[in-house]
Amino acid sequence: MTTGIHASRAFQALLISSLGLLVFELLRPVEAQAESCTLDPLGGEVCLPEEDPDDNENEEEMDEDDERDVSKKSKGTREQSPVVILPLCFGPCTQFPPAPPYRQFAEEPEAESTPMPMPEPAVEPAPAEPIRPLWMKSDALDPGVGEVYLERTLQAQANAVVLDADADTVFIEVEGVRYREIINPHSLLFTNEVNKPAVNAWVRGFGGVNSNGAAGHRYADFDNGGAQLGADIPLSDTTRIGLFGTYAVMNGRDGGRGRWDADGWGGGAYAEYLSQSLVLRGMISAGGYDGEHRRSINGETAKGNRSGNSWTGVVSVATPLESGDWLIEPQAQISYTNTSLDKFSEHGADREDRLKYHAMEVDQMGSEISLKFGRPIRDGERSLFLPSLRLGWAADWGTSGGDQKVTYRDSGKSKRWDVNGGDDHAALIELGLDYTTYNVNGTSVGVYARGGSLVWGGDRGTSWQVRGGFSFKF
């Protein structure tokens, strides 16, 4: 009986406790949520919770392919090998059009005419004893006769020698006007101080193998080539300005991890000041390119179309000197390049391996200090060969400004990949050959070729570059 009473009391206590917990739960304040309330057609109010903006942080950067069912559980993200192929500046952005080494001719003034002197009546000398060779004299030689004989012999030898101070000077005649070539100083080969200023049109091709910074402190190799067409006009005897257009192709490779094959168009402008003691040049160029970007991942190829653009400013100063027949030209140059790459999304691989590359922008600085040796070789009356050798030191002061952000298209997670931004130094070696033929009142033609290498220290290897073309001055 006692046991039944205790059980009844325990059941009552449990019931009361359950009711108390229920009341407490009903009275406990719930977590407030933002709601959007509207009136239904019957006059009732319907409130729905608003979406958390943090949940859609990455939705703005997703393409339509990236929209997923909210009920699907996000997959894990696979590790990706960082692939960032950072292109070089557009075209031969640090190579100025060559100064044409045309020969220099100045109009030779006609010699002033002098009145012909009136002939004086000749005075017949008294007959003198003919001078016979000394070994034919049988008696003693008179001192006066011997002195006359010696004077006549020395005078005959002097008349046989012709002294011409202009023996090495070339004279040409064009349309009845006589011109004299100016040989010294050799630095006049690069100026227009004597020749009349004229319009100069030129075309050149270029190509080579270079390297540039990539992700993971590596370097990407670039095969590049293209062509340029330009023209300049003189502002004075020592200054000129010009414009040019560029078509360039590049194939970048990141050690088997990926590649970017692109091409594009660009152009630029330049200005030059040329004198016997100073050569000052400035140039700005820009261009845009696009092409297919490929990346190897888990035995598949993720690819997409990427575009970008770059612009470069460069300033160069040189001082022409000469030593004997040699032209020696110390040179210094500094350049700045800004590169912007657009965003793109990959396709072709498994969804969980695809990436979205975000836009990025980087800056690069470069410099050169070199010494150029050249020796003019004249051929015929108006042609000229100028072989040259340039030796020096070059530096790439690395990249700055940003890194590459990528987003996994399947999970929406993002990462950032650093781009190699270290300083590099190289030995510069360049061979050149210029050939021109100069016409005083016609079209002058020039042909040139350059080829050389940058032997970089460390893991960057060696870069090769060749270029050549024609110029027409009219």
Side-chain angles (χ1 to χ4, degrees):
M1 186 70 177
T2 306
T3 303
I5 296 175
H6 286 297
S8 177
R9 290 178 177 176
F11 177 75
Q12 293 177 0
L14 179 61
L15 182 60
I16 294 173
S17 300
S18 300
L19 292 174
L21 290 175
L22 179 60
V23 172
F24 176 78
E25 182 66 23
L26 293 175
L27 296 178
R28 183 176 66 88
V30 290
E31 182 178 356
Q33 294 184 353
E35 295 182 341
S36 175
C37 299
T38 58
L39 294 177
D40 61 18
L42 300 178
E45 188 176 39
V46 179
C47 297
L48 297 176
E50 292 182 347
E51 293 183 353
D52 187 351
D54 294 337
D55 294 338
N56 295 326
E57 183 178 2
N58 294 322
E59 291 297 328
E60 295 179 357
E61 298 177 347
M62 296 290 180
D63 297 331
E64 292 182 358
D65 314 357
D66 299 327
E67 294 180 356
R68 303 178 301 277
D69 184 15
V70 294
S71 63
K72 179 181 177 182
K73 183 179 180 181
S74 298
K75 299 180 180 179
T77 56
R78 298 187 190 180
E79 281 298 321
Q80 306 273 8
S81 297
V83 177
V84 180
I85 300 179
L86 188 64
L88 302 164
C89 59
F90 190 84
C93 56
T94 61
Q95 307 297 332
F96 290 89
Y102 296 112
R103 296 171 73 171
Q104 302 291 314
F105 292 90
E107 184 176 342
E108 181 74 4
E110 296 182 1
E112 296 181 0
S113 58
T114 56
M116 295 294 294
M118 295 296 296
E120 297 181 0
V123 179
E124 294 189 9
E129 180 182 356
I131 299 177
R132 292 175 294 176
L134 299 182
W135 58 84
M136 296 184 63
K137 298 291 291 182
S138 57
D139 51 356
L141 181 65
D142 182 80
V145 175
E147 184 177 353
V148 173
Y149 176 82
L150 181 60
E151 289 178 355
R152 289 183 181 180
T153 302
L154 295 177
Q155 184 65 37
Q157 294 176 352
N159 293 337
V161 178
V162 178
L163 300 178
D164 186 5
D166 295 329
D168 295 332
T169 302
V170 175
F171 292 87
I172 62 175
E173 186 170 329
V174 179
E175 298 179 359
V177 180
R178 193 166 185 252
Y179 294 88
R180 173 179 57 89
E181 181 181 13
I182 298 179
I183 297 179
N184 294 311
H186 293 315
S187 58
L188 285 175
L189 292 173
F190 295 94
T191 67
N192 293 315
E193 294 184 357
V194 178
N195 295 335
K196 295 180 180 179
V199 177
N200 185 52
W202 54 270
V203 59
R204 69 175 170 185
F206 59 90
V209 179
N210 297 307
S211 61
N212 202 22
H217 298 281
R218 300 188 308 274
Y219 296 95
D221 296 324
F222 286 87
D223 297 329
N224 59 87
Q228 286 186 314
L229 176 65
D232 55 70
I233 59 173
L235 299 181
S236 68
D237 291 346
T238 58
T239 58
R240 62 176 180 168
I241 58 174
L243 299 172
F244 60 88
T246 307
Y247 172 73
V249 179
M250 69 173 188
N251 300 316
R253 306 177 305 277
D254 185 10
R257 294 175 174 86
R259 61 183 299 136
W260 185 18
D261 301 334
D263 65 344
W265 296 86
Y270 60 96
E272 299 183 344
Y273 170 80
L274 308 169
S275 71
Q276 294 186 28
S277 58
L278 180 65
V279 178
L280 181 62
R281 296 184 175 101
M283 180 173 64
I284 185 168
S285 61
Y289 33 72
D290 67 90
E292 188 176 63
H293 184 284
R294 297 185 177 185
R295 185 175 59 90
S296 299
I297 177 69
N298 296 325
E300 297 182 324
T301 300
K303 54 188 176 181
N305 188 80
R306 188 165 211 184
S307 60
N309 61 80
S310 68
W311 67 271
T312 300
V314 57
V315 176
S316 172
V317 61
T319 304
L321 306 171
E322 58 180 304
S323 177
D325 294 334
W326 288 87
L327 174 67
I328 303 174
E329 187 176 306
Q331 302 176 353
Q333 178 175 293
I334 187 169
S335 63
Y336 166 82
T337 299
N338 174 268
T339 302
S340 299
L341 302 182
D342 299 330
K343 64 181 180 179
F344 77 101
S345 296
E346 294 179 328
H347 61 274
D350 287 342
R351 186 179 188 83
E352 58 186 308
D353 292 329
R354 301 177 196 171
L355 296 176
K356 176 184 178 64
Y357 280 69
H358 296 253
M360 67 176 300
E361 182 177 353
V362 295
D363 302 315
Q364 288 183 277
M365 293 284 294
S367 61
E368 288 183 7
I369 297 177
S370 62
L371 194 62
K372 182 177 180 179
F373 303 88
R375 189 180 188 277
I377 301 175
R378 288 165 173 80
D379 181 38
E381 290 186 348
R382 308 183 194 182
S383 298
L384 176 76
F385 290 91
L386 182 63
S388 61
L389 170 66
R390 190 163 71 101
L391 303 173
W393 162 84
D396 179 356
W397 300 107
T399 60
S400 61
D403 49 22
Q404 178 66 74
K405 180 183 178 182
V406 296
T407 299
Y408 289 86
R409 297 183 63 185
D410 190 53
S411 67
K413 295 183 179 180
S414 298
K415 286 188 176 182
R416 292 186 178 273
W417 293 340
D418 292 332
V419 180
N420 188 355
D423 299 344
D424 293 303
H425 304 272
L428 184 154
I429 305 171
E430 183 184 79
L431 294 173
L433 178 62
D434 295 72
Y435 170 77
T436 57
T437 176
Y438 180 73
N439 293 319
V440 176
N441 291 331
T443 300
S444 301
V445 180
V447 183
Y448 79 97
R450 302 277 191 276
S453 64
L454 290 172
V455 184
W456 296 98
D459 300 329
R460 190 164 182 174
T462 301
S463 300
W464 300 87
Q465 193 72 28
V466 296
R467 60 190 185 279
F470 303 87
S471 60
F472 305 90
K473 189 174 183 180
F474 51 91

